[in-house]
Amino acid sequence: MNELLDLYWTFARIGAVTFGGGYAMLPILERELVDKRHWTTMDDLRDYFSIGQCTPGIIALNVSTFIGEKRRGVRGALAATVGFLTFPIIIILLIALFLTNFAQLEIVQHAFAGIRVCVCVLILQAVLRLWKKSVVDPFTLGLYLAVFALNAFSGLVLPFKIPTAVLVILAGAVGVLVSGRKNRGARKEGEGK
Amino acid sequence: MNILTLMYEFFKTGLFSVGGGLATLPFLYEMSDRYPDWFSHADIADMIAISESTPGAIGINMSTYAGFRVAGIPGGILASLALAAPSVIIILIIARFLAKFRQNSLVEGAFYGLRPASIAMITAAGLNVAKVALVDLNAYAASGNLGDLFVWKALILAVLIFVGQKKLKWSPVIFIALSAVAGILFKF
């Protein structure tokens, strides 16, 4: 029981100081979980992150679930995950309560118009950061361009907009097909020699 | 009923958004198109700003905020839990089979396709925010002058932030605060 509370509170504290999403979380996790508490190793943490990056859901949450599960099974996973969610939910609810009264003010609207510009840049930078690991060859570049075009413009050209979920499933399927053919090609080449 | 629809939508978002919080954006735009009374495209841009300047994963912040907009405090909590549920279930299964999962070439192949797709969708989401923040279609339609299409002070601010972040490596929170001040001072 004590360890469950410990898991909950540790991840609640981590959730309270993690700004900017999963990628900003790694150094904090390293300090809290590897150096201070020895709950996991740096290698395991990297693996959790790389799996979290390619499975559905929020990366930081996936990592919390992984470490909770490793410590105390399913109950540990739930304690860590709910812990991680606690402060972000409370803080956003407070802001939402507060902002409904102020969102109409002219000064607030000017501030948000300025902030939106910053958000464009932050998204662009996130794309640039992820680019290297994701767009690695002509096939992945083509897939990037195709999905971008379909996601951004399919509603303009076609009578309907292709749902995002359909694009995700198609991209995964195409990835399996193309990498499978590549692997077979590589094996044949190896046999030829 | 409304809350059930909300939870279903966010559960679906959690299930299909691969690659972190920003990957939830295209789903939010879809939701906004389907349920216009929930939140608008401009609201989504504001949500991103709020998410970037508060702790926690961006996707969670978005679901809490959107859920609150739709159904108050219970909406905020339930939407967040609904968003988290699929990934918790999937990670619990994966944790049991971790060794096998890593070596599975089918899974590897799927990720080979999913990674570029996920950043393509983040790019499209960025374009949606840019349409609200950097471009003024109404002014362009009114004057027909191409120079009126772009909000020049916004473009200048964008370049300054981009260069500033590269050189200074400050937290995004600081740049968001500075952009808010610039927006107020120069009446964006």
Side-chain angles (χ1 to χ4, degrees), chain A residues 162-186:
Chain A
I162 299 176
T164 306
V166 171
L167 286 176
V168 169
I169 291 169
L170 279 178
V174 172
V176 169
L177 285 176
V178 171
S179 71
R181 186 178 296 170
K182 258 192 186 165
N183 288 342
R184 269 196 303 280

mmCIF file of all heavy atoms in Angstrom, chain A residues 162-186:
data_model
loop_
_atom_site.group_PDB
_atom_site.id
_atom_site.type_symbol
_atom_site.label_atom_id
_atom_site.label_comp_id
_atom_site.label_asym_id
_atom_site.label_seq_id
_atom_site.Cartn_x
_atom_site.Cartn_y
_atom_site.Cartn_z
ATOM 1 N N ILE A 162 -10.671 12.693 -45.519
ATOM 2 C CA ILE A 162 -10.280 11.359 -45.062
ATOM 3 C C ILE A 162 -10.012 11.415 -43.558
ATOM 4 O O ILE A 162 -9.208 12.228 -43.106
ATOM 5 C CB ILE A 162 -9.015 10.877 -45.803
ATOM 6 C CG1 ILE A 162 -9.320 10.792 -47.306
ATOM 7 C CG2 ILE A 162 -8.566 9.527 -45.274
ATOM 8 C CD1 ILE A 162 -8.132 10.427 -48.139
ATOM 9 N N PRO A 163 -10.678 10.559 -42.759
ATOM 10 C CA PRO A 163 -10.490 10.619 -41.306
ATOM 11 C C PRO A 163 -9.043 10.317 -40.911
ATOM 12 O O PRO A 163 -8.378 9.461 -41.522
ATOM 13 C CB PRO A 163 -11.429 9.536 -40.773
ATOM 14 C CG PRO A 163 -12.381 9.266 -41.875
ATOM 15 C CD PRO A 163 -11.667 9.557 -43.154
ATOM 16 N N THR A 164 -8.566 11.015 -39.875
ATOM 17 C CA THR A 164 -7.193 10.849 -39.419
ATOM 18 C C THR A 164 -6.895 9.405 -39.028
ATOM 19 O O THR A 164 -5.824 8.886 -39.333
ATOM 20 C CB THR A 164 -6.954 11.783 -38.218
ATOM 21 O OG1 THR A 164 -7.309 13.106 -38.620
ATOM 22 C CG2 THR A 164 -5.517 11.752 -37.781
ATOM 23 N N ALA A 165 -7.860 8.759 -38.349
ATOM 24 C CA ALA A 165 -7.633 7.381 -37.901
ATOM 25 C C ALA A 165 -7.365 6.460 -39.086
ATOM 26 O O ALA A 165 -6.518 5.558 -39.011
ATOM 27 C CB ALA A 165 -8.839 6.891 -37.097
ATOM 28 N N VAL A 166 -8.068 6.690 -40.194
ATOM 29 C CA VAL A 166 -7.857 5.876 -41.394
ATOM 30 C C VAL A 166 -6.437 6.077 -41.919
ATOM 31 O O VAL A 166 -5.752 5.117 -42.309
ATOM 32 C CB VAL A 166 -8.905 6.234 -42.478
ATOM 33 C CG1 VAL A 166 -8.573 5.554 -43.795
ATOM 34 C CG2 VAL A 166 -10.298 5.858 -42.014
ATOM 35 N N LEU A 167 -5.972 7.322 -41.905
ATOM 36 C CA LEU A 167 -4.605 7.609 -42.366
ATOM 37 C C LEU A 167 -3.568 6.892 -41.501
ATOM 38 O O LEU A 167 -2.590 6.344 -42.014
ATOM 39 C CB LEU A 167 -4.343 9.121 -42.344
ATOM 40 C CG LEU A 167 -5.019 9.946 -43.447
ATOM 41 C CD1 LEU A 167 -4.743 11.425 -43.239
ATOM 42 C CD2 LEU A 167 -4.543 9.502 -44.816
ATOM 43 N N VAL A 168 -3.779 6.893 -40.173
ATOM 44 C CA VAL A 168 -2.836 6.236 -39.263
ATOM 45 C C VAL A 168 -2.750 4.746 -39.576
ATOM 46 O O VAL A 168 -1.657 4.178 -39.692
ATOM 47 C CB VAL A 168 -3.249 6.463 -37.782
ATOM 48 C CG1 VAL A 168 -2.446 5.570 -36.847
ATOM 49 C CG2 VAL A 168 -3.071 7.919 -37.398
ATOM 50 N N ILE A 169 -3.925 4.106 -39.736
ATOM 51 C CA ILE A 169 -3.938 2.663 -39.991
ATOM 52 C C ILE A 169 -3.278 2.347 -41.341
ATOM 53 O O ILE A 169 -2.453 1.430 -41.458
ATOM 54 C CB ILE A 169 -5.388 2.128 -39.942
ATOM 55 C CG1 ILE A 169 -5.903 2.210 -38.495
ATOM 56 C CG2 ILE A 169 -5.454 0.693 -40.438
ATOM 57 C CD1 ILE A 169 -7.382 1.968 -38.352
ATOM 58 N N LEU A 170 -3.607 3.154 -42.374
ATOM 59 C CA LEU A 170 -3.003 2.950 -43.694
ATOM 60 C C LEU A 170 -1.483 3.092 -43.636
ATOM 61 O O LEU A 170 -0.742 2.282 -44.210
ATOM 62 C CB LEU A 170 -3.572 3.952 -44.700
ATOM 63 C CG LEU A 170 -4.941 3.621 -45.309
ATOM 64 C CD1 LEU A 170 -5.377 4.730 -46.255
ATOM 65 C CD2 LEU A 170 -4.872 2.287 -46.047
ATOM 66 N N ALA A 171 -0.999 4.129 -42.922
ATOM 67 C CA ALA A 171 0.440 4.364 -42.845
ATOM 68 C C ALA A 171 1.147 3.177 -42.199
ATOM 69 O O ALA A 171 2.207 2.739 -42.652
ATOM 70 C CB ALA A 171 0.718 5.644 -42.063
ATOM 71 N N GLY A 172 0.547 2.629 -41.124
ATOM 72 C CA GLY A 172 1.121 1.459 -40.472
ATOM 73 C C GLY A 172 1.170 0.265 -41.425
ATOM 74 O O GLY A 172 2.180 -0.433 -41.520
ATOM 75 N N ALA A 173 0.071 0.054 -42.168
ATOM 76 C CA ALA A 173 -0.001 -1.082 -43.095
ATOM 77 C C ALA A 173 1.039 -0.943 -44.208
ATOM 78 O O ALA A 173 1.751 -1.903 -44.547
ATOM 79 C CB ALA A 173 -1.410 -1.170 -43.682
ATOM 80 N N VAL A 174 1.139 0.274 -44.784
ATOM 81 C CA VAL A 174 2.125 0.500 -45.840
ATOM 82 C C VAL A 174 3.538 0.285 -45.301
ATOM 83 O O VAL A 174 4.392 -0.311 -45.973
ATOM 84 C CB VAL A 174 1.966 1.932 -46.421
ATOM 85 C CG1 VAL A 174 3.093 2.249 -47.382
ATOM 86 C CG2 VAL A 174 0.625 2.067 -47.110
ATOM 87 N N GLY A 175 3.782 0.730 -44.065
ATOM 88 C CA GLY A 175 5.093 0.531 -43.440
ATOM 89 C C GLY A 175 5.445 -0.943 -43.340
ATOM 90 O O GLY A 175 6.562 -1.359 -43.649
ATOM 91 N N VAL A 176 4.476 -1.772 -42.915
ATOM 92 C CA VAL A 176 4.706 -3.216 -42.798
ATOM 93 C C VAL A 176 5.049 -3.807 -44.166
ATOM 94 O O VAL A 176 6.023 -4.550 -44.313
ATOM 95 C CB VAL A 176 3.462 -3.924 -42.207
ATOM 96 C CG1 VAL A 176 3.594 -5.434 -42.323
ATOM 97 C CG2 VAL A 176 3.265 -3.514 -40.761
ATOM 98 N N LEU A 177 4.252 -3.440 -45.199
ATOM 99 C CA LEU A 177 4.472 -3.986 -46.543
ATOM 100 C C LEU A 177 5.852 -3.624 -47.072
ATOM 101 O O LEU A 177 6.606 -4.483 -47.530
ATOM 102 C CB LEU A 177 3.402 -3.452 -47.502
ATOM 103 C CG LEU A 177 2.010 -4.074 -47.358
ATOM 104 C CD1 LEU A 177 1.023 -3.390 -48.300
ATOM 105 C CD2 LEU A 177 2.090 -5.568 -47.660
ATOM 106 N N VAL A 178 6.186 -2.325 -47.010
ATOM 107 C CA VAL A 178 7.445 -1.864 -47.613
ATOM 108 C C VAL A 178 8.651 -2.400 -46.850
ATOM 109 O O VAL A 178 9.615 -2.867 -47.457
ATOM 110 C CB VAL A 178 7.472 -0.320 -47.677
ATOM 111 C CG1 VAL A 178 8.849 0.175 -48.081
ATOM 112 C CG2 VAL A 178 6.412 0.177 -48.637
ATOM 113 N N SER A 179 8.609 -2.380 -45.514
ATOM 114 C CA SER A 179 9.778 -2.867 -44.772
ATOM 115 C C SER A 179 9.906 -4.378 -44.925
ATOM 116 O O SER A 179 11.013 -4.914 -44.938
ATOM 117 C CB SER A 179 9.701 -2.461 -43.299
ATOM 118 O OG SER A 179 8.696 -3.199 -42.653
ATOM 119 N N GLY A 180 8.761 -5.086 -45.081
ATOM 120 C CA GLY A 180 8.800 -6.526 -45.314
ATOM 121 C C GLY A 180 9.490 -6.844 -46.628
ATOM 122 O O GLY A 180 10.353 -7.728 -46.704
ATOM 123 N N ARG A 181 9.138 -6.087 -47.683
ATOM 124 C CA ARG A 181 9.768 -6.321 -48.989
ATOM 125 C C ARG A 181 11.255 -6.009 -48.931
ATOM 126 O O ARG A 181 12.072 -6.745 -49.478
ATOM 127 C CB ARG A 181 9.076 -5.452 -50.030
ATOM 128 C CG ARG A 181 9.574 -5.735 -51.437
ATOM 129 C CD ARG A 181 8.837 -4.898 -52.465
ATOM 130 N NE ARG A 181 7.416 -5.206 -52.528
ATOM 131 C CZ ARG A 181 6.538 -4.477 -53.212
ATOM 132 N NH1 ARG A 181 6.946 -3.389 -53.835
ATOM 133 N NH2 ARG A 181 5.262 -4.808 -53.252
ATOM 134 N N LYS A 182 11.591 -4.921 -48.197
ATOM 135 C CA LYS A 182 13.009 -4.553 -48.050
ATOM 136 C C LYS A 182 13.798 -5.679 -47.392
ATOM 137 O O LYS A 182 14.868 -6.043 -47.829
ATOM 138 C CB LYS A 182 13.125 -3.306 -47.155
ATOM 139 C CG LYS A 182 13.355 -2.036 -47.915
ATOM 140 C CD LYS A 182 13.732 -0.963 -46.930
ATOM 141 C CE LYS A 182 13.843 0.368 -47.609
ATOM 142 N NZ LYS A 182 13.864 1.453 -46.621
ATOM 143 N N ASN A 183 13.229 -6.226 -46.294
ATOM 144 C CA ASN A 183 13.922 -7.290 -45.565
ATOM 145 C C ASN A 183 14.135 -8.511 -46.448
ATOM 146 O O ASN A 183 15.196 -9.117 -46.447
ATOM 147 C CB ASN A 183 13.128 -7.690 -44.319
ATOM 148 C CG ASN A 183 13.196 -6.620 -43.260
ATOM 149 O OD1 ASN A 183 14.085 -5.748 -43.318
ATOM 150 N ND2 ASN A 183 12.273 -6.648 -42.320
ATOM 151 N N ARG A 184 13.071 -8.875 -47.234
ATOM 152 C CA ARG A 184 13.209 -10.024 -48.130
ATOM 153 C C ARG A 184 14.300 -9.757 -49.165
ATOM 154 O O ARG A 184 15.125 -10.609 -49.444
ATOM 155 C CB ARG A 184 11.876 -10.313 -48.819
ATOM 156 C CG ARG A 184 11.028 -11.311 -48.050
ATOM 157 C CD ARG A 184 9.925 -11.873 -48.916
ATOM 158 N NE ARG A 184 9.069 -10.845 -49.463
ATOM 159 C CZ ARG A 184 8.075 -10.253 -48.782
ATOM 160 N NH1 ARG A 184 7.860 -10.610 -47.524
ATOM 161 N NH2 ARG A 184 7.323 -9.326 -49.328
ATOM 162 N N GLY A 185 14.316 -8.517 -49.718
ATOM 163 C CA GLY A 185 15.332 -8.132 -50.696
ATOM 164 C C GLY A 185 16.728 -8.281 -50.117
ATOM 165 O O GLY A 185 17.626 -8.862 -50.726
ATOM 166 N N ALA A 186 16.886 -7.813 -48.880
ATOM 167 C CA ALA A 186 18.204 -7.875 -48.236
ATOM 168 C C ALA A 186 18.638 -9.327 -48.033
ATOM 169 O O ALA A 186 19.784 -9.692 -48.220
ATOM 170 C CB ALA A 186 18.159 -7.135 -46.888
#
